[in-house]
């Protein structure tokens, strides 16, 4: 066998591997499209930039392609690879403590002890001082006295919507002092109010029977943290429940349409490129 024919064989092998990888990607793409399961975050991405949506949710490209990505729970940019930024670790630690402790205790020292154990286990000691401040602030807010069932924190939902599955999670659905269910979304990072997000969550309480709620949520709010780490409620105005549900359904339809029509050839650059995981490979990035 000559040196030339060896090179030819290697070329052929390389081409075959590339072809196999391509076909595998196409198969995954088709399966993902057929699955037709959407989260609010995925649908928001499709509206913001179709190319980013296809990269992440259709092809499933990894985040390690340059740039940063936006964290689902805090709305804060996270770095590629390596350890997450402190603000994200603080947010995650606080979320976990609220999930575990809110339904069972209002004792700040118990919450802080739990936070300390979790921080030690995760090697997140530097996140503890702020999380302890957040615990004090949360327990001083009126929200902490609302009735919360253990099944109503970090609530997973999924419901069928015109043959698609809409899935996601709601931070908490407590009963407020008027005995009304409130859909709550915690914002411990950059506050990015999104009326549509809360409306979708209210819709989920109407359409997901598995949530086993005596009645759907009639109120919704962002529980956000200000610069002094104090909690305040940003209420979503729902003057007419029926109209709100119809608005949520119409928005959902539009977003699904955007997701199902998204292609790689349709980049939508803007300030959001700064937090896009694919800016390193995108020729339209701003
Ligand atoms: S860099 Fe900007 S234009 Fe490119 S995929 Fe990301 S968000 Fe879209």
């Amino acid at each position: 066998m000559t040196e030339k024919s060896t090179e030819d064989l290697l070329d052929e092998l390389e081409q075959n591997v590339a072809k196999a990888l391509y076909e595998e990607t196409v198969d995954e793409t088709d399966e993902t499209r057929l699955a037709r399961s959407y989260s609010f975050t995925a649908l928001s991405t499709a509206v913001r930039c179709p190319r980013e949506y296809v990269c992440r949710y259709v092809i499933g490209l990894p985040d390690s392609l340059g740039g940063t990505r936006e964290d689902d729970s805090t709305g804060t940019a996270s770095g590629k690879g390596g350890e997450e930024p402190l603000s994200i670790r603080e947010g995650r630690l606080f979320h976990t403590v609220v999930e575990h402790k809110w339904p069972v205790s209002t004792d700040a020292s118990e919450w802080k002890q739990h936070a300390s154990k979790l921080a030690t286990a995760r090697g997140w000691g530097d996140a503890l001082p702020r999380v302890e401040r957040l615990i004090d602030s949360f327990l001083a807010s009126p929200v902490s006295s609302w009735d919360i069932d253990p099944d109503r924190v970090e609530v997973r939902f999924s419901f069928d919507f015109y043959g698609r599955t809409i899935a996601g999670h709601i931070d908490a659905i407590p009963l407020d002092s008027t005995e009304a269910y409130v859909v709550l979304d915690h914002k411990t990072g950059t506050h990015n109010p999104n009326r549509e997000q809360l409306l979708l969550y209210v819709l989920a309480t109407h359409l997901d029977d598995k949530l086993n709620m005596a009645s759907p949520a009639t109120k919704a709010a962002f529980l956000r943290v200000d610069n002094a780490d104090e909690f305040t409620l940003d209420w979503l105005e729902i003057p007419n429940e029926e109209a709100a549900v119809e608005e949520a359904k119409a928005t959902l339809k539009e977003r699904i349409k955007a997701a199902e029509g998204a292609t790689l050839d349709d980049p939508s650059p803007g300030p959001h490129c700064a937090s896009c995981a694919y800016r390193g490979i995108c020729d339209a990035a701003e």
Side-chain angles (χ1 to χ4, degrees):
M1 185 181 291
T2 65
E3 195 179 327
K4 178 87 166 101
S5 65
T6 305
E7 275 178 11
D8 286 346
L9 278 171
L10 284 173
D11 278 352
E12 200 181 318
L13 180 64
E14 205 174 314
Q15 279 170 19
N16 283 339
V17 169
K19 186 168 173 280
L21 282 173
Y22 172 78
E23 283 170 353
E24 193 178 309
T25 304
V26 170
D27 283 348
E28 279 176 12
T29 302
D30 288 346
E31 272 176 26
T32 311
R33 283 194 187 281
L34 284 174
R36 293 189 165 181
S37 179
Y38 300 102
S39 67
F40 173 79
T41 311
L43 293 174
S44 299
T45 305
V47 170
R48 184 175 60 209
C49 176
R51 176 178 286 181
E52 184 186 356
Y53 170 80
V54 173
C55 285
R56 178 180 297 282
Y57 295 101
V58 180
I59 300 174
L61 291 181
D63 282 349
S64 53
L65 294 171
T68 56
R69 74 178 173 83
E70 193 170 288
D71 179 74
D72 291 355
S73 61
T74 62
T76 313
S78 69
K80 60 167 179 168
E83 193 170 43
E84 291 165 311
L86 178 60
S87 62
I88 288 185
R89 284 179 278 127
E90 290 167 342
R92 294 214 166 132
L93 185 59
F94 179 70
H95 264 71
T96 311
V97 174
V98 172
E99 181 187 350
H100 294 172
K101 286 292 165 188
W102 188 11
V104 293
S105 165
T106 50
D107 180 343
S109 60
E110 245 185 68
W111 285 49
K112 287 177 187 174
Q113 238 176 12
H114 190 60
S116 174
K117 270 189 204 160
L118 290 172
T120 305
R122 295 177 186 183
W124 290 0
D126 55 347
L128 203 50
R130 180 158 181 247
V131 169
E132 289 187 344
R133 283 200 305 279
L134 292 173
I135 288 172
D136 286 331
S137 176
F138 182 85
L139 290 174
S141 76
V143 170
S144 70
S145 65
W146 292 351
D147 194 14
I148 183 78
D149 188 283
D151 295 338
R152 303 261 178 263
V153 269
E154 294 297 322
V155 182
R156 297 266 157 206
F157 68 80
S158 69
F159 58 88
D160 181 78
F161 190 76
Y162 295 100
R164 282 76 165 174
T165 300
I166 309 299
H169 90 270
I170 300 169
D171 285 335
I173 315 178
L175 279 168
D176 73 2
S177 50
T178 69
E179 299 283 304
Y181 278 119
V182 182
V183 159
L184 266 191
D185 189 73
H186 304 158
K187 291 284 182 205
T188 51
T190 307
H191 185 224
N192 182 21
N194 191 319
R195 172 183 167 79
E196 290 172 5
Q197 181 184 2
L198 288 181
L199 271 181
L200 173 69
Y201 292 170
V202 170
L203 181 67
T205 68
H206 279 77
L207 299 185
D208 185 355
D209 295 339
K210 299 181 297 307
L211 294 180
N212 287 325
M213 293 169 64
S215 58
T218 51
K219 299 179 180 177
F222 288 109
L223 183 62
R224 71 176 181 85
V225 176
D226 63 17
N227 290 337
D229 281 342
E230 297 292 332
F231 281 94
T232 53
L233 283 165
D234 274 359
W235 288 98
L236 173 73
E237 296 293 328
I238 307 181
N240 180 322
E241 199 182 330
E242 206 176 311
V245 167
E246 288 312 310
E247 182 185 341
K249 285 181 178 173
T251 305
L252 202 45
K253 275 186 202 164
E254 270 172 33
R255 287 180 175 241
I256 290 170
K257 206 171 154 191
E260 293 181 354
T263 70
L264 280 177
D265 296 333
D266 191 14
S268 178
H272 48 270
C273 292
S275 61
C276 175
Y278 312 111
R279 59 174 292 114
I281 56 165
C282 176
D283 58 3
E286 268 189 13

